[in-house]
């Protein structure tokens, strides 16, 4: 989610987590060209600030996250420029017709499978995204980490800022409005009666915050990204990270201690 035209692999060659696409794929190109016009015709999305989308070169699209279809809405709005995003590996591993549909849809949209988690899994995901950016491609990320179930905008994790400071990629903030109405959490199919608004802000150069190795630089850069997203999405702010309830006493203690959330 370029001039380097980094794309997803063929649907019968879906990579495992850790693989990074480097060669053009006819399936991705065909899917992108078919998906974008179809989605625009059905949903008539309002796209604002499209002039803020760089035509080439590495770039990170940092967006709020309200719905499963956010990862379809952003590539549709950014088209014809390819944009990659990481998706849960389970979306590529299903069986039967439903599994084939999920795998095909996400591959066509430019998704790359990743095994989600903390610790090394999170670092591996960041490294995948770094490799994509270094080809001159575009990626889309959600600083909140996961979907907001109550519509509020949660605190950003520092992974996006780390990538931007490490690679020098500008960050284009994105505000999605209405995707949670098109496909609420738990819905099996999207509504055809709702419209979405996708707002792109001016690219952010975060280099003035300092090097990627600085925790303070990562935190202040993340706060600048989230402030820009908030100005576009106009959501109510939640002064907390978007995390599932701790399942054990050890996890509760870990969260209570100061640590960086990526």
């Amino acid at each position: 989610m370029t001039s380097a035209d980094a794309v997803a692999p063929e649907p019968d060659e879906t990579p495992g987590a850790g693989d990074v696409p480097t060669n053009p794929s006819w399936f991705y190109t065909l899917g992108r060209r078919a998906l974008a016009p179809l989605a625009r015709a059905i949903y008539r999305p309002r796209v604002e600030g499209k002039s803020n989308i760089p035509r080439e070169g590495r770039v990170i699209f940092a967006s709020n996250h309200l719905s499963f279809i956010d990862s379809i809405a952003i590539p549709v709005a950014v088209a014809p420029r390819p944009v990659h995003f990481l998706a849960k590996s389970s979306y590529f591993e299903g069986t039967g017709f439903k599994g084939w549909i999920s795998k095909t849809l996400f591959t066509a949209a430019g998704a790359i499978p990743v095994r989600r988690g903390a610790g090394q899994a999170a670092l591996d995901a960041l490294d995948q995204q770094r490799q994509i950016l270094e080809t001159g491609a575009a990626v889309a990320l959600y600083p909140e980490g996961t979907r907001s179930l109550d519509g509020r905008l949660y605190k950003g994790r520092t992974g996006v800022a780390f990538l931007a400071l490490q690679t020098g990629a500008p960050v284009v903030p994105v505000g999605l409005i209405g995707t949670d109405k098109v496909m609420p959490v738990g819905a099996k199919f999207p509504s055809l009666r709702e419209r979405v608004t996708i707002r792109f802000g001016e690219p952010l150069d975060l280099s003035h915050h300092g090097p990627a190795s600085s925790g303070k630089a990562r935190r202040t850069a993340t706060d600048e990204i989230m402030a820009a997203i908030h100005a576009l999405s106009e959501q109510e702010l939640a002064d907390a990270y978007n995390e599932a309830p701790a399942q054990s006493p050890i996890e509760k203690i870990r969260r209570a201690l100061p640590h960086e959330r990526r």
Side-chain angles (χ1 to χ4, degrees):
M1 335 194 142
T2 87
S3 55
D5 230 358
V7 293
E10 303 291 344
D12 59 346
E13 297 176 352
T14 301
D19 294 336
V20 176
T22 56
N23 298 312
S25 159
W26 68 267
F27 182 76
Y28 172 75
T29 302
L30 178 63
R32 177 166 55 87
R33 290 178 178 175
L35 181 64
L38 180 62
R40 283 196 292 265
I42 294 175
Y43 289 105
R44 299 162 292 119
R46 304 178 183 90
V47 180
E48 302 175 6
K50 192 158 186 177
S51 61
N52 290 320
I53 300 174
R55 294 186 177 182
E56 59 183 19
R58 62 186 67 177
V59 62
I60 300 170
F61 293 98
S63 175
N64 60 325
H65 196 11
L66 295 170
S67 170
F68 172 83
I69 67 164
D70 293 346
S71 297
I72 305 299
I74 293 175
V76 166
V78 171
R81 178 165 188 176
V83 57
H84 290 291
F85 62 94
L86 300 184
K88 290 188 297 185
S89 58
S90 59
Y91 291 147
F92 298 82
E93 298 169 350
T95 58
F97 181 72
K98 184 177 179 180
W100 179 84
I101 287 291
S102 176
K103 178 179 176 180
T104 300
L105 178 63
F106 275 88
T107 301
I112 300 167
V114 62
R115 303 194 186 284
R116 298 178 63 180
Q120 189 58 47
L123 294 175
D124 289 344
L126 284 174
D127 191 57
Q128 281 183 281
Q129 293 156 327
R130 177 190 58 77
Q131 292 180 57
I132 296 169
L133 286 169
E134 288 181 348
T135 69
V139 301
L141 301 168
Y142 305 114
E144 293 171 277
T146 189
R147 285 177 286 177
S148 171
L149 299 181
D150 59 13
R152 294 186 297 168
L153 183 67
Y154 284 79
K155 292 179 66 174
R157 299 167 186 267
T158 61
V160 177
F162 175 80
L163 281 174
L165 295 174
Q166 185 184 46
T167 64
V171 174
V172 173
V174 183
L176 297 174
I177 301 173
T179 54
D180 52 336
K181 295 180 180 178
V182 172
M183 193 165 186
V185 175
K188 293 184 178 180
F189 300 100
S191 168
L192 300 180
R193 293 179 292 181
E194 303 289 344
R195 293 184 69 181
V196 302
T197 297
I198 307 164
R199 295 173 173 168
F200 295 95
E202 295 184 2
L204 303 175
D205 178 0
L206 303 173
S207 60
H208 64 279
H209 289 283
S213 58
S214 166
K216 180 180 179 180
R218 294 192 296 269
R219 184 68 259 166
T220 57
T222 299
D223 292 343
E224 181 178 348
I225 293 169
M226 297 310 296
I229 293 174
H230 176 243
L232 296 168
S233 71
E234 301 178 356
Q235 293 166 270
E236 178 185 347
L237 291 173
D239 188 24
Y241 291 100
N242 193 2
E243 297 177 315
Q247 299 299 312
S248 68
I250 293 178
E251 177 62 14
K252 290 180 181 179
I253 294 173
R254 186 189 73 83
R255 292 188 184 180
L257 296 174
H259 69 285
E260 186 173 339
R261 289 167 168 83
R262 290 187 175 176

